[in-house]
Amino acid sequence: MRAEQPEGTRGSLKWIQRAVERRPDLLSVDGLGPVQWLSPLREDGFAEYRDAAFLERIGCGRLKDELAGFWPARGPQWDALGRAGETVVLVEAKAHLREVLSPASQASPASREKIDLAFATVKRELKVRDGANWAEVFFQYANRLAHLWFLRNSGVEAKLVFVDFLHDIEMGGPENPAEWEAVYLAADYALGLPRRHVLERHVHHLFPDVRELA
């Protein structure tokens, strides 16, 4: 699915569009070369992508059947997508802490069954603590991790980047990275993630200051 977006006027929608268009240097990840941003782009209606359309956008359309078997329709809608050489870059952008506190899955029973099976596989691979229910707490964070695992398990060199903006006063956002780091530590604990797991080095956090994008 391809979903055109309005030009953002506030919050993470505004800032990720501006960062991609005006200051891609603020989205640089250590160890990666220059990123060719594939979304959101003004000439593409600032579109965001999910499901088979997201795979096509990153050049992995061959995996659409595998993704459909792994996850139900209407999966994560990515705030930004890019490629750095052979590496796929998946972006989730936030402007304030409440955005991390996503509600539980609202999926239908059939979709929920598929989600639970996917999560069970990923949790086993990551050696997650018994009893952690990924569909009930920090669901958005968990499903992004699951899709990173899916791509990497399918042979795609992929990175997941959380772009956590600073100094968004209008949205009441954090003023320093420590506030973001604390909420992600809480999320990791709630999800039962061990301190070291197979996806750890492929998950990155960036903390751009919106004052550089104003």
Side-chain angles (χ1 to χ4, degrees), residues 54 67 70-71 75-78 90-92 94 100 102 115 118-128 132-135 137-154 156 158-162 183-205:
F54 125 73
L67 179 61
F70 176 74
W71 199 266
Q77 184 164 304
W78 298 99
L90 313 174
V91 171
E92 180 65 31
K94 306 293 186 191
V100 184
S102 59
I115 289 169
F119 277 161
T121 299
V122 178
K123 287 158 64 178
R124 184 169 58 251
E125 292 291 317
L126 272 57
K127 304 187 187 313
V128 163
N133 190 334
W134 282 20
V137 295
F138 294 101
F139 175 62
Q140 186 185 74
Y141 182 36
N143 66 44
R144 270 53 173 179
L145 290 174
H147 279 69
L148 174 65
W149 179 88
F150 167 80
L151 286 177
R152 297 196 61 82
N153 191 61
S154 301
V156 178
K159 303 290 185 182
L160 174 59
V161 181
F162 291 96
V183 78
Y184 283 108
L185 280 173
D188 287 348
Y189 180 80
L191 295 178
L193 287 166
R195 288 176 61 86
R196 297 286 182 268
H197 57 79
V198 297
L199 293 180
E200 179 191 16
R201 65 191 183 90
H202 306 296
V203 178
H204 304 268
H205 291 266

Side-chain angles (χ1 to χ4, degrees), residues 13-193:
L13 182 67
K14 172 183 178 178
W15 302 123
I16 194 62
Q17 290 175 359
R18 287 196 180 187
V20 166
E21 183 171 58
R22 304 181 187 179
R23 291 294 307 275
D25 57 297
L26 296 178
L27 304 178
S28 297
V29 175
D30 288 346
L32 286 184
V35 176
Q36 175 193 2
W37 290 105
L38 306 171
S39 70
L41 303 175
R42 181 178 297 277
E43 60 269 26
D44 187 39
F46 293 117
E48 296 175 356
Y49 292 83
R50 70 196 320 168
D51 300 340
F54 125 73
L55 291 175
E56 293 287 353
R57 195 67 175 173
I58 61 174
C60 297
R62 67 189 183 280
L63 298 175
K64 63 182 181 181
D65 291 340
E66 287 88 341
L67 179 61
F70 176 74
W71 199 266
R74 299 192 65 80
Q77 184 164 304
W78 298 99
D79 293 324
L81 296 168
R83 290 192 70 103
E86 295 301 311
T87 301
V88 169
V89 181
L90 313 174
V91 171
E92 180 65 31
K94 306 293 186 191
H96 57 87
L97 298 177
R98 295 184 303 280
E99 289 184 282
V100 184
L101 306 174
S102 59
S105 170
Q106 303 297 308
S108 68
S111 293
R112 176 62 182 267
E113 182 178 3
K114 184 176 284 190
I115 289 169
D116 287 341
L117 286 171
F119 277 161
T121 299
V122 178
K123 287 158 64 178
R124 184 169 58 251
E125 292 291 317
L126 272 57
K127 304 187 187 313
V128 163
R129 183 182 70 242
D130 289 344
N133 190 334
W134 282 20
E136 296 295 326
V137 295
F138 294 101
F139 175 62
Q140 186 185 74
Y141 182 36
N143 66 44
R144 270 53 173 179
L145 290 174
H147 279 69
L148 174 65
W149 179 88
F150 167 80
L151 286 177
R152 297 196 61 82
N153 191 61
S154 301
V156 178
E157 180 61 34
K159 303 290 185 182
L160 174 59
V161 181
F162 291 96
V163 178
D164 305 315
F165 291 103
L166 299 176
H167 289 104
D168 188 338
I169 304 303
E170 181 182 13
M171 301 302 295
E175 296 185 10
N176 63 76
E179 296 177 70
W180 283 116
E181 290 165 349
V183 78
Y184 283 108
L185 280 173
D188 287 348
Y189 180 80
L191 295 178
L193 287 166

